[in-house]
Amino acid sequence: MTNHSETTGSDGDITGPVRPSPAARTSGDRPGDQPQVTLRTPAELADALPYLLGYRPEDSIVLVALRDRDGRGRFGGRARLGIPANPDDWTSAAGQLVHGLISGSERRGARPEQMVAYLCQEPGRGEAGRQVMERLRPLAQKLRVECGTLDVPVVEALCISDGRFWSYCCDDQDCCPSEGVPMGLPGTSVLAAAATYAGVQVRGSLSELRARLLPWEGSGALAQEVALDTAGLTLVSRILDDARRADVADETLALAERIVGRLARAAPASGTRAQDLRDDRLIGHDEAAALILGLQDRTTRDRAAAWMEGDEAGPALRLWRALARRCVGPYGEHAAAPLTLAGWVAWSTGDELEAREALAMALGADPDYLFARLLHQACNEGLDPESVRRCLRAERAGGERAQGGTQAGAGRAEGPEHGAKPGEPAEREAPTPRTPRMTTATVADSSARRRARVQGRGPRADRGPRATVVRPRTPVSGAHPGETRSSRARSRTSDRSRGGPGTCPEGARRGGPGTGGEH
């Protein structure tokens, strides 16, 4: 089955009643805390979709749960899955999505009572929107059967294509004619006004968001690949050397901190494309290469994850995005580290949409990257990132105290004139820095295996000696969890041996990210 991009999450901001008619209503958790909007028709439900997800879905199956709360209905969880290209996969896709959404809702004690289904796909070459609707009709029926099997009826199923929508449940030609109903202009409905008032933002499409994280192509990519090759000649061997690994970590973090400051001082730019181009110009190829390779060490990556809030978060997120774009060509698998950091900072700052997409792309780059898997699961489960932030703050403070204690101990060791009291020995042992729980696993446990992998690499005829870095065979291309891949050799730290950071909430440890769930 082709899963183009799976996104799941928790309950959203727009709500609706549980009733047997295709109607829904927006409301808050308490009466009167938000404007209420009743959705009575398929047209209003179609208009509500971007506000339910926070973006405009493309090539997607979307399920929205309806549930009752204190006698008032509201929308519950949402789940999205890419439409498989092969119709033979539709049955498994429908089952995957329905079971994932319902089981995720049940874990939160809010089993859906009804469901609304959406199929969103633009026409292909020479195809009309009505033809898309008819072609996808069997998929809509499979969704209805899967939901009915679990006693959750689908009260409305809509196909949105070519600026129109069709209902699979209503055959009334007055409200749902066979030629479809034109979609209203974005932002002109009563729901749009209520959502704007409530602070609900609709982003662009997922493809636009993903474009900010995909690797470069063209001449710039070639120059970046050469820089990565060159940096690998020296950095990889140092990372694999226990005696020198700490120095590489300090150098990597110092460089990252300088670039974060550089990005923070940069002049503003209008539009995401212009902002990304500005950030790319501020980071040299050699700097990006050093950071990408340095972050393959989990210890270094975990320390960098502490830049997650306040004034640091915004520039740090821009840096991680920029580094993900620099993981070009055969270095695509290295993008798992910066993509995971980008997803973590986005989640920490409240942008769950970018967080899920970045973490899903990290797992597409490396399905075994445990840090991304744990964060993705925690985000999907609707857990509060504050529990992770508290641990990271504590580890950061502990590291700073340990570093200060080491420096103080060194000062006291110089003699009484530098702080030792009379009668005390002039030399004292500096406090031993405690090992953070997040950073105990490093490349040391697999260094022998990795050294064996890099042996026998010959020179390249086109660009001189090849870096002694084992690189993945295939680049990242926006793939997501669940896709198959061949066995890949890596020069970076693997998360699969001893687990990711110890800061992830326990709820995130029950398994990898499901392909169906709440959004």
Side-chain angles (χ1 to χ4, degrees):
M1 182 181 66
T2 301
N3 178 6
H4 297 286
S5 61
E6 171 274 325
T7 313
T8 58
S10 59
D11 293 350
D13 298 317
I14 298 179
T15 58
V18 178
R19 60 182 68 174
S21 62
R25 184 185 65 191
T26 64
S27 67
D29 291 335
R30 299 176 301 277
D33 66 347
Q34 290 183 12
Q36 296 185 357
V37 178
T38 300
L39 308 179
R40 304 179 185 276
T41 66
E44 291 171 339
L45 284 173
D47 180 70
L49 180 58
Y51 302 96
L52 292 171
L53 297 180
Y55 61 92
R56 302 187 183 281
E58 300 172 318
D59 195 26
S60 300
I61 311 168
V62 180
L63 287 180
V64 180
L66 299 177
R67 59 187 178 84
D68 184 49
R69 172 185 269 186
D70 301 329
R72 296 184 299 117
R74 63 174 294 164
F75 284 122
R78 279 134 280 179
R80 192 203 73 85
L81 192 68
I83 297 177
N86 187 348
D88 293 339
D89 295 328
W90 287 356
T91 300
S92 60
Q96 185 178 354
L97 198 62
V98 170
H99 286 264
L101 176 56
I102 293 178
S103 61
S105 299
E106 288 176 335
R107 285 196 298 271
R108 297 170 182 79
R111 177 180 170 83
E113 299 180 21
Q114 294 174 335
M115 203 80 75
V116 177
Y118 298 85
L119 299 177
C120 307
Q121 191 174 74
E122 290 304 302
R125 185 184 298 273
E127 192 177 30
R130 178 176 171 80
Q131 292 174 301
V132 174
M133 182 272 293
E134 293 294 349
R135 177 167 52 80
L136 296 179
R137 186 182 292 275
L139 176 56
Q141 182 61 23
K142 293 179 186 298
L143 290 169
R144 297 174 70 180
V145 170
E146 287 289 343
C147 289
T149 301
L150 297 176
D151 295 325
V152 181
V154 175
V155 296
E156 186 55 87
L158 301 174
C159 176
I160 300 176
S161 179
D162 198 22
R164 292 176 173 267
F165 75 86
W166 290 262
S167 172
Y168 292 112
C169 298
C170 177
D171 56 4
D172 187 344
Q173 289 294 310
D174 292 334
C175 68
C176 300
S178 58
E179 66 272 15
V181 179
M183 297 285 293
L185 292 175
T188 59
S189 65
V190 175
L191 176 59
T196 301
Y197 179 82
V200 178
Q201 297 181 351
V202 176
R203 312 272 285 273
S205 64
L206 282 182
S207 60
E208 294 171 345
L209 177 60
R210 193 178 303 120
R212 307 190 72 183
L213 302 169
L214 287 174
W216 287 353
E217 296 179 353
S219 58
L222 180 60
Q224 184 60 65
E225 184 178 342
V226 172
L228 285 161
D229 283 342
T230 304
L233 287 169
T234 57
L235 281 180
V236 173
S237 60
R238 294 177 64 199
I239 293 174
L240 296 177
D241 187 339
D242 291 342
R244 297 186 292 172
R245 185 171 56 247
D247 292 336
V248 177
D250 291 340
E251 293 166 8
T252 301
L253 292 169
L255 175 59
E257 190 169 7
R258 290 197 301 272
I259 297 179
V260 165
R262 189 186 307 164
L263 295 176
R265 295 187 297 271
S270 176
T272 58
R273 176 62 176 165
Q275 292 168 7
D276 292 343
L277 289 174
R278 172 205 58 197
D279 294 344
D280 289 339
R281 287 192 297 267
L282 292 172
I283 305 172
H285 294 307
D286 294 342
E287 292 175 323
L291 291 177
I292 289 169
L293 294 176
L295 288 172
Q296 304 311 306
D297 177 17
R298 280 207 343 242
T299 301
T300 309
R301 178 207 65 194
D302 294 344
R303 289 168 63 186
W307 300 333
M308 62 197 170
E309 57 191 344
D311 295 337
E312 294 176 328
L317 177 56
R318 289 159 54 191
L319 173 59
W320 308 141
R321 288 191 196 120
L323 293 182
R325 295 192 292 268
R326 303 291 188 100
C327 294
V328 297
Y331 286 93
E333 194 178 58
H334 288 65
L339 284 170
T340 301
L341 289 171
W344 159 239
V345 176
W347 184 36
S348 177
T349 55
D351 190 346
E352 293 188 3
L353 174 59
E354 181 169 1
R356 291 192 187 96
E357 190 62 21
L359 293 169
M361 291 178 69
L363 290 170
D366 181 1
D368 300 317
Y369 205 71
L370 190 57
F371 189 16
R373 186 171 292 277
L374 292 174
L375 290 176
H376 194 258
Q377 182 74 7
C379 189
N380 288 345
E381 292 289 337
L383 301 181
D384 187 354
E386 178 59 22
S387 58
V388 184
R389 285 194 295 261
R390 282 196 299 266
C391 293
L392 286 170
R393 292 188 200 109
E395 301 296 352
R396 185 176 185 177
E400 291 173 352
R401 285 195 300 269
Q403 183 178 6
T406 302
Q407 294 173 350
R412 287 193 297 267
E414 295 179 5
E417 67 275 20
H418 290 283
K421 296 181 181 180
E424 291 185 348
E427 183 174 347
R428 295 181 180 178
E429 182 180 356
T432 301
R434 66 188 182 94
T435 302
R437 287 179 294 128
M438 291 184 60
T439 60
T440 55
T442 63
V443 294
D445 56 352
S446 58
S447 59
R449 174 171 51 85
R450 298 183 188 279
R451 288 193 186 98
R453 287 180 177 178
V454 302
Q455 291 178 355
R457 295 291 237 180
R460 301 176 65 181
D462 54 345
R463 294 199 298 272
R466 183 181 181 91
T468 53
V469 51
V470 180
R471 305 183 305 180
R473 297 172 184 167
T474 54
V476 61
S477 57
H480 288 268
E483 295 186 350
T484 60
R485 64 165 194 164
S486 61
S487 177
R488 301 176 184 174
R490 308 171 185 81
S491 63
R492 57 173 176 70
T493 307
S494 173
D495 274 337
R496 60 177 76 154
S497 60
R498 289 166 55 186
T503 58
C504 286
E506 288 300 320
R509 298 181 180 274
R510 290 192 292 268
T515 51
E518 292 195 303
H519 173 98

